[in-house]
Amino acid sequence: MSKVITPRRTAAVLAVVAATTLMGTANASASLISQDGMRIAAYQNSLKSSTEEGAADALRDFDALTHDKQVKFLNYAEDPENLKALLEEVADVPETANPAPVHQLVNLKGGDVQIASDSEAAFTADAGDASGISAAGKLHAGWWDTTYTVRQKIFGITITKLSVWVNYHTNGSKIDRVDHADCGKRNFNGAVSIGHGVPKAQLASGNAIGQVVWEGSIIYKGFGVEIDKRQQVVANAYGFKSGYLKNI
């Protein structure tokens, strides 16, 4: 004999199914919220314990994001495409005769992720020649520190920064001495490990050149890649001339 399910019994069954589904959804949501909370707390703790310059600023700016943006920030930081972009998709800064600072910006993920390339040149005149560079562009004797920097930003927060600079002297008409090159990095991304070789400096074709090789390793959820990049800054007697960060 077939069983007849009354409307009342049907409603009761549906209520149980709905309750079970909601409970499962609630448990899944709670699990995701708990997992995201742990990820956020872990990242905040990593910034709090970091001894790198800028960690406190990064923590302040990260804390100012909404919860959803914090989760999105961490997802972007761990995305292999974004990680490789820093090491693979940085455009060269072309040569320029203009000593003014250079700024280039590449937008990814609708602008949420950015790669910025910047130059900076600081001049210190020799004692007795404190006038620096005149309005007419006449050279004076003194020392230059010229830098080329690449940054990766997420929601405006610098997560990785790579810089190379060269220190050199002009005698009032040309570069007569290149003293040294050096480099600096800032990395607030746990999925990226960055080391470097010995920075090198040289005087070639009247230009001061500073170079360093970065050794980058990216590991995330079974994804792994190692990419070596050479970062270079070229400067003339007036300051920054060109720079790049490219595969070798």
Side-chain angles (χ1 to χ4, degrees):
M1 179 183 294
S2 61
K3 294 181 178 180
V4 177
I5 300 178
T6 65
R8 180 177 295 178
R9 185 178 176 186
T10 301
V13 170
L14 291 175
V16 171
V17 172
T20 303
T21 302
L22 288 173
M23 184 177 296
T25 302
N27 289 337
S29 298
S31 177
L32 286 174
I33 292 172
S34 176
Q35 184 181 29
D36 288 338
M38 289 189 293
R39 292 173 67 207
I40 291 170
Y43 187 69
Q44 290 170 326
N45 289 334
S46 71
L47 291 177
K48 289 176 183 177
S49 61
S50 175
T51 58
E52 291 196 52
E53 181 183 356
D57 292 337
L59 176 61
R60 179 199 63 214
D61 295 340
F62 181 77
D63 286 344
L65 298 176
T66 64
H67 174 85
D68 288 347
K69 276 196 171 183
Q70 287 179 332
V71 174
K72 202 171 184 180
F73 177 102
L74 296 176
N75 290 339
Y76 280 144
E78 297 168 352
D79 184 344
E81 289 186 5
N82 294 329
L83 299 177
K84 289 200 299 182
L86 175 66
L87 300 176
E88 291 185 345
E89 299 179 9
V90 179
D92 295 351
V93 175
E95 289 192 6
T96 175
N98 185 356
V102 171
H103 175 72
Q104 290 187 342
L105 195 65
V106 176
N107 288 310
L108 305 170
K109 305 298 182 181
D112 291 350
V113 180
Q114 296 179 319
I115 299 176
S117 305
D118 297 278
S119 70
E120 183 179 359
F123 180 76
T124 303
D126 287 345
D129 192 358
S131 57
I133 297 179
S134 69
K138 180 182 177 182
L139 286 173
H140 292 261
W143 288 93
W144 282 102
D145 278 299
T146 300
T147 305
Y148 174 59
T149 298
V150 176
R151 296 177 177 86
Q152 186 175 56
K153 300 180 179 181
I154 301 177
F155 293 129
I157 302 171
T158 296
I159 189 170
T160 305
K161 174 183 173 183
L162 304 174
S163 299
V164 62
W165 57 89
V166 62
N167 175 265
Y168 59 99
H169 186 265
T170 65
N171 61 10
S173 61
K174 64 180 181 180
I175 296 175
D176 61 349
R177 178 184 173 189
V178 175
D179 188 70
H180 70 276
D182 209 342
C183 65
K185 71 176 178 67
R186 182 185 302 175
N187 181 35
F188 302 136
N189 191 334
V192 179
S193 175
I194 302 175
H196 64 82
V198 178
K200 298 179 180 179
Q202 62 175 315
L203 177 61
S205 301
N207 297 316
I209 301 174
Q211 287 185 348
V212 66
V213 172
W214 297 103
E215 300 153 351
S217 297
I218 301 168
I219 300 175
Y220 173 64
K221 290 185 177 179
F223 170 86
V225 65
E226 292 185 4
I227 304 175
D228 289 344
K229 304 285 290 188
R230 178 181 289 114
Q231 188 172 11
Q232 174 176 282
V233 59
V234 179
N236 59 23
Y238 292 91
F240 179 82
K241 185 175 182 181
S242 67
Y244 67 65
L245 178 65
K246 64 183 182 181
N247 292 341
I248 57 174

